[in-house]
Amino acid sequence: MTLSTLHTGSRRWALAEGYIPSWSNGPEPELESHETCCMLNTNDEDAAVTLTLYFEDREPVGPYQVTVPARRSLHLRFNDLKEPEAVPRGVAFATVIDSDRPIVVQHTRLDSRQAANSIMTTIAHPLSAPGWARPRSGRCRCRGVHTPDTPRA
Amino acid sequence: MTLSTLHTGSRRWALAEGYIPSWSNGPEPELESHETCCMLNTNDEDAAVTLTLYFEDREPVGPYQVTVPARRSLHLRFNDLKEPEAVPRGVAFATVIDSDRPIVVQHTRLDSRQAANSIMTTIAHPLSAPGWARPRSGRCRCRGVHTPDTPRA
Amino acid sequence: MTLSTLHTGSRRWALAEGYIPSWSNGPEPELESHETCCMLNTNDEDAAVTLTLYFEDREPVGPYQVTVPARRSLHLRFNDLKEPEAVPRGVAFATVIDSDRPIVVQHTRLDSRQAANSIMTTIAHPLSAPGWARPRSGRCRCRGVHTPDTPRA
Amino acid sequence: MTLSTLHTGSRRWALAEGYIPSWSNGPEPELESHETCCMLNTNDEDAAVTLTLYFEDREPVGPYQVTVPARRSLHLRFNDLKEPEAVPRGVAFATVIDSDRPIVVQHTRLDSRQAANSIMTTIAHPLSAPGWARPRSGRCRCRGVHTPDTPRA
């Protein structure tokens, strides 16, 4: 396997679902209802990450800034975000995650509003090309013979 | 990162699972059993979205039409769909989501038929090429030398 | 959007997780513990689907054969599979789903072994190229000038 | 469908979420809280798999080594990992899964800390190119006419 067929994630991810349940049952912090953005940075350099939250009835809020250190994971609870503003409870939102280095993002919620908690998870949706992809705009280095996929200037 | 390696989603998505549980425990609207299509439109223009529902024993129903405004999310409950017809409870279905602009789609269910609710989620399956993909039918602009992947006329 | 950038799914999918819980609480059939393979066929022709089950300690079992009619969904419970043999309860397995036409596959489990049921879901993993992908082995129709990605004979 | 459009998985996968709940309710082993890495090897040769765990506050731990036999699935509980060290309970982590042959990976958690268990699942995120992808660095075998996507030496 060559380097070109392995990669360390994507630089932009999206979550269309987001919601911090308004109340909880059970001991904190484990069983407090929460919404989490789990991030993995396998690179040897820190990743500077920004989150932008999209709501149903107002302009996006952000950037929320966080660092995922080199060779570390980070389970970031939306509950804990404070700047530029706290995330309201019981309100629907969505999130775009941007990173200056490739990372992997997974979304998890714990909902303990009733007597027994419930959990859900999904890998987020990558919005940038993985390392093995051939970008559509790849310029050809031919000697004037052709330019695949993009019109000649 | 160039524009060609970032994109804002896909224009067609699919969910093979769909089911609105027939009854609920807990306060409405939060804990009413529901099936949700979460959509994120990061574009600067509104997205006109249509949903088509596929059933096990009859022809597809739709289009259900909805707008996801520019820079907004929308958590659309299938429970609330009314035109062309309400979605029956306790019946299996699947959904195709079409949008005139790229969006991101995530599926979530809350099932409160028993005393403690349960939740599940997944990013939907994209059925259109992401922005970075090189479409199979991409015509070559070469000067008569070759046409990659598609036969010469 | 051209035909080349829209597709109707993949012809091979995989689920690495599979497990039918051994007991249940609640009314059948809704709340019987079950493992489901949800399939969507948006094509205008029926899809002939085969499932092959992979176990931890014996050879694969299958094919299980099922038809997903044109423009229909099918929520197939592994609980109901009978030929070539019933799926054992409380045993780990995995599944490969093959179809003669592109479909979309989503996996869902309902676990009601304790007083309140729990649910989980994920889109399955596609093991065939989507419609927009350029296959690696695509032969070039050039006039003897080059063969991208594959060595010349 | 040609071989080039079918594949048997990826050789590197990632999970950004990982967490073994610290306590449980219900009979073991079924209802002990657990975190599982489900793997499917459809190949006719065994797959040698290594897991590397990434934490929030210390260097990665691994490799954990396991074999997924030919034509078998394996539901590997993180709870059972022992070498090079046991996985701590109640601690956030993430995982990279490497295999010498293509496999499919799915992540599942069962959380039974409260009276009724909860489950969640997702297909992991592939970090290597699927079989149908054309790698970005694919060298062209042209006769000096062009080198798509990569600069000429």
Side-chain angles (χ1 to χ4, degrees):
Chain A
M1 203 156 23
T2 64
L3 278 182
S4 70
T5 61
L6 284 179
H7 62 105
T8 57
S10 293
R11 296 189 195 185
R12 178 172 286 181
W13 295 81
L15 293 168
E17 165 69 284
Y19 184 85
I20 305 176
S22 299
W23 69 94
S24 303
N25 281 290
E28 296 185 8
E30 292 93 340
L31 291 169
E32 181 185 16
S33 290
H34 59 264
E35 185 87 352
T36 305
C37 181
C38 299
M39 293 173 282
L40 169 60
N41 176 16
T42 62
N43 300 288
D44 287 324
E45 301 87 18
D46 293 357
V49 176
T50 60
L51 282 71
T52 306
L53 272 59
Y54 290 78
F55 293 91
E56 293 192 309
D57 55 3
R58 55 173 174 141
E59 286 294 304
V61 175
Y64 293 90
Q65 298 181 312
V66 63
T67 297
V68 185
R71 299 179 303 280
R72 293 291 183 276
S73 67
L74 178 62
H75 290 210
L76 177 69
R77 290 192 184 191
F78 288 91
N79 307 45
D80 297 334
L81 294 175
K82 289 199 169 60
E83 294 292 337
E85 64 178 68
V87 182
R89 271 56 174 169
V91 170
F93 62 91
T95 307
V96 170
I97 300 101
D98 282 291
S99 173
D100 65 346
R101 299 189 185 280
I103 58 173
V104 178
V105 178
Q106 187 170 345
H107 169 224
T108 301
R109 180 183 300 163
L110 184 147
D111 177 354
S112 65
R113 290 177 295 184
Q114 293 186 318
N117 68 301
S118 182
I119 51 176
M120 69 181 196
T121 197
T122 186
I123 295 287
H125 182 67
L127 286 175
S128 65
W132 47 263
R134 288 163 50 128
R136 190 163 54 181
S137 71
R139 276 163 303 173
C140 181
R141 273 72 176 189
C142 69
R143 292 176 177 159
V145 178
H146 80 287
T147 305
D149 292 343
T150 53
R152 299 185 71 86
Chain B
M1 204 154 23
T2 63
L3 278 182
S4 70
T5 61
L6 285 179
H7 62 105
T8 57
S10 292
R11 295 189 194 186
R12 178 172 286 182
W13 295 81
L15 292 168
E17 164 69 284
Y19 183 85
I20 306 177
S22 299
W23 68 95
S24 303
N25 281 289
E28 296 185 8
E30 291 93 340
L31 291 168
E32 182 185 16
S33 289
H34 60 263
E35 186 87 351
T36 305
C37 181
C38 299
M39 294 173 281
L40 169 60
N41 176 15
T42 62
N43 301 288
D44 286 325
E45 302 86 19
D46 294 356
V49 175
T50 60
L51 282 70
T52 306
L53 272 58
Y54 289 78
F55 293 91
E56 294 192 307
D57 54 3
R58 56 173 174 142
E59 286 294 304
V61 175
Y64 293 90
Q65 298 182 312
V66 64
T67 297
V68 185
R71 300 179 301 282
R72 294 290 184 276
S73 68
L74 178 62
H75 291 210
L76 176 69
R77 290 191 185 192
F78 287 91
N79 307 47
D80 296 335
L81 294 175
K82 289 198 169 63
E83 295 291 338
E85 62 178 69
V87 183
R89 271 56 175 170
V91 170
F93 62 91
T95 307
V96 171
I97 300 100
D98 282 291
S99 172
D100 64 347
R101 298 189 185 279
I103 59 173
V104 178
V105 177
Q106 188 170 346
H107 170 222
T108 301
R109 179 184 301 163
L110 185 147
D111 177 353
S112 64
R113 289 175 296 182
Q114 294 184 318
N117 67 301
S118 182
I119 51 177
M120 69 181 196
T121 197
T122 186
I123 295 287
H125 182 67
L127 286 176
S128 65
W132 48 264
R134 288 164 50 131
R136 192 161 54 180
S137 70
R139 277 162 303 173
C140 181
R141 272 74 176 189
C142 69
R143 290 175 179 160
V145 177
H146 80 288
T147 305
D149 292 344
T150 52
R152 300 186 70 86
Chain C
M1 203 154 23
T2 63
L3 277 182
S4 70
T5 62
L6 285 179
H7 61 105
T8 57
S10 292
R11 295 188 195 186
R12 178 173 286 182
W13 296 80
L15 293 168
E17 165 70 285
Y19 183 85
I20 305 177
S22 299
W23 68 94
S24 305
N25 281 289
E28 294 185 7
E30 291 93 339
L31 291 168
E32 181 185 16
S33 288
H34 60 264
E35 185 87 351
T36 305
C37 181
C38 300
M39 294 174 280
L40 168 60
N41 176 14
T42 62
N43 300 287
D44 287 324
E45 301 85 20
D46 293 357
V49 176
T50 60
L51 282 71
T52 305
L53 271 58
Y54 290 78
F55 293 91
E56 295 192 306
D57 55 3
R58 56 173 174 141
E59 287 294 303
V61 175
Y64 294 90
Q65 297 181 313
V66 63
T67 298
V68 185
R71 300 180 304 280
R72 293 291 184 276
S73 66
L74 177 63
H75 290 211
L76 176 70
R77 291 191 184 192
F78 288 92
N79 307 47
D80 297 334
L81 294 175
K82 289 200 170 59
E83 294 292 337
E85 63 178 70
V87 183
R89 270 56 175 171
V91 170
F93 62 91
T95 308
V96 170
I97 301 100
D98 282 290
S99 173
D100 65 346
R101 298 187 184 281
I103 60 173
V104 178
V105 177
Q106 187 169 345
H107 169 223
T108 301
R109 180 183 302 162
L110 185 148
D111 177 354
S112 65
R113 291 176 294 184
Q114 293 184 317
N117 68 301
S118 182
I119 51 176
M120 69 182 196
T121 197
T122 186
I123 294 288
H125 182 67
L127 286 176
S128 65
W132 47 263
R134 287 162 54 127
R136 191 162 54 180
S137 71
R139 278 162 302 174
C140 181
R141 273 72 175 190
C142 69
R143 292 175 177 160
V145 177
H146 81 287
T147 305
D149 291 343
T150 52
R152 300 186 70 85
Chain D
M1 200 154 26
T2 63
L3 278 182
S4 71
T5 61
L6 284 180
H7 62 105
T8 57
S10 292
R11 295 189 195 184
R12 179 173 284 182
W13 295 81
L15 292 168
E17 165 70 285
Y19 183 86
I20 305 177
S22 299
W23 69 94
S24 305
N25 280 289
E28 296 185 7
E30 291 93 338
L31 291 168
E32 181 184 16
S33 290
H34 59 264
E35 186 87 351
T36 305
C37 181
C38 300
M39 294 174 281
L40 168 60
N41 176 15
T42 61
N43 301 287
D44 286 324
E45 301 87 18
D46 293 357
V49 175
T50 61
L51 282 70
T52 306
L53 271 58
Y54 290 78
F55 293 92
E56 294 192 308
D57 55 3
R58 56 173 174 142
E59 286 295 303
V61 175
Y64 294 90
Q65 298 181 312
V66 62
T67 297
V68 185
R71 300 179 304 278
R72 294 292 184 274
S73 67
L74 178 62
H75 290 210
L76 177 68
R77 291 192 183 191
F78 288 92
N79 307 46
D80 296 335
L81 294 175
K82 289 198 170 61
E83 294 294 336
E85 63 179 70
V87 183
R89 271 55 175 171
V91 170
F93 62 91
T95 307
V96 170
I97 300 99
D98 282 291
S99 173
D100 66 346
R101 299 189 185 279
I103 58 172
V104 178
V105 178
Q106 186 169 345
H107 169 223
T108 301
R109 180 183 301 163
L110 185 146
D111 177 354
S112 64
R113 291 176 294 184
Q114 294 185 319
N117 68 301
S118 181
I119 51 175
M120 69 182 196
T121 197
T122 186
I123 295 287
H125 182 68
L127 286 176
S128 65
W132 47 262
R134 286 161 56 126
R136 190 161 54 180
S137 71
R139 277 163 302 173
C140 181
R141 273 73 175 188
C142 68
R143 292 176 178 159
V145 177
H146 81 286
T147 306
D149 292 344
T150 52
R152 299 185 71 86

